[in-house]
Amino acid sequence: DPQLIANPLWQSGDLQPLLAPVVAQAQAQLRQWLRVSSPSSAFTAHLHQIAGLLAWWQGDWTIARAELSQPGVLPTGQMLMDVTDGKPIQLSDHPTAGELAMAAWAQPTQRPALLTQAWVTATRTQPPSNLLQAMVETMNQSQSFHQWLTQNAPARQYRRERSGFGILSRHIDGPIPRDFLIIGEIIPVTVFFSDLFHNPTYLYDLDRALANQWQPYLTQLATHNRSSSR
């Protein structure tokens, strides 16, 4: 999931030292898959997009620029490099939420209006006034768009609710269970750039590549279960 890199929990003292080796391992795996994937496949474009985002997040502009300019990568990726390089932002006729957020960075006097438009484009609702104010203020306090998105932008934490539990378990008058896992996310990443930081519901080549990694563990687990049952 590309949005994992944008989890604000990485900025905590315990996890921060682990971010660089985790990213390095992910980049090595991406390079391995790219060596064997078809150049024209959607899988290859997805790999280049993730590799570019990882490099951009870590501040490696050279690799990010090369990866995000590959065929099949969303145009928002190239625009991300444009705003990083300080180039003017040219909005399309039907701009995405991410494009509008980057335009807000490039046009400081228009930030409230453009961030509101970005939120409406992404969610079809008006942004909460306190959140809009926080986005504008943190953007004003940032030295670059990269610093805003990776360090200063508003974040939130929550636990996912199992909304179907009551109906499926015929437990309709009790509280809705929540997962133990705390989800952390940088709000502009998940709202404005969900298309760029995209985790596909199903991508056959990705599923097959991951299966090659799962198989040794599944085999080991099956062997352990057989030994335990004797």
Side-chain angles (χ1 to χ4, degrees):
D1 185 352
Q3 291 189 14
L4 180 63
I5 188 68
N7 192 322
L9 294 176
W10 286 115
Q11 299 176 19
S12 66
D14 293 336
L15 292 179
Q16 192 172 23
L18 300 176
L19 179 58
V22 167
V23 169
Q25 185 173 354
Q27 289 173 325
Q29 182 62 73
L30 290 169
R31 288 193 296 269
Q32 180 181 340
W33 283 341
L34 282 168
R35 283 195 293 268
V36 298
S37 64
S38 170
S40 61
S41 70
F43 178 48
T44 298
H46 181 66
L47 296 178
H48 281 301
Q49 188 162 301
I50 295 176
L53 291 173
L54 288 176
W56 184 85
W57 200 267
Q58 294 292 90
D60 192 333
W61 312 136
T62 301
I63 294 179
R65 189 175 292 106
E67 296 290 354
L68 294 175
S69 63
Q70 294 293 320
V73 174
L74 290 179
T76 312
Q78 181 58 55
M79 187 175 288
L80 187 64
M81 292 311 308
D82 289 343
V83 74
T84 302
D85 294 337
K87 296 179 180 178
I89 299 300
Q90 301 293 330
L91 292 177
S92 60
D93 292 337
H94 302 284
T96 66
E99 292 174 357
L100 290 163
M102 288 184 282
W105 171 262
Q107 303 176 51
T109 60
Q110 299 297 316
R111 281 173 182 169
L114 287 168
L115 288 171
T116 297
Q117 188 179 351
W119 189 275
V120 171
T121 299
T123 68
R124 300 293 188 268
T125 63
Q126 290 292 321
S129 58
N130 59 336
L131 177 57
L132 176 62
Q133 182 179 356
M135 289 192 291
V136 173
E137 289 180 352
T138 54
M139 191 174 276
N140 291 340
Q141 295 164 4
S142 300
Q143 298 299 312
S144 65
F145 186 80
H146 178 266
Q147 184 188 53
W148 177 68
L149 199 62
T150 62
Q151 300 178 32
N152 297 343
R156 61 188 172 192
Q157 294 183 3
Y158 62 94
R159 287 186 171 96
R160 291 194 177 102
E161 293 184 342
R162 300 292 175 172
S163 56
F165 176 84
I167 296 175
L168 296 174
S169 304
R170 298 186 179 182
H171 184 68
I172 59 176
D173 58 347
I176 298 176
R178 295 191 300 169
D179 289 350
F180 286 108
L181 177 66
I182 298 176
I183 304 298
E185 60 184 27
I186 296 173
I187 297 174
V189 171
T190 57
V191 176
F192 298 153
F193 294 95
S194 60
D195 56 342
L196 194 60
F197 289 79
H198 177 56
N199 184 22
T201 303
Y202 180 73
L203 187 59
Y204 172 74
D205 290 329
L206 177 60
D207 192 65
R208 186 173 60 177
L210 290 172
N212 293 332
Q213 295 185 322
W214 296 336
Q215 193 57 49
Y217 298 101
L218 294 175
T219 301
Q220 185 178 2
L221 179 61
T223 302
H224 174 75
N225 289 341
R226 286 196 297 269
S227 299
S228 300
S229 63
R230 292 175 183 172

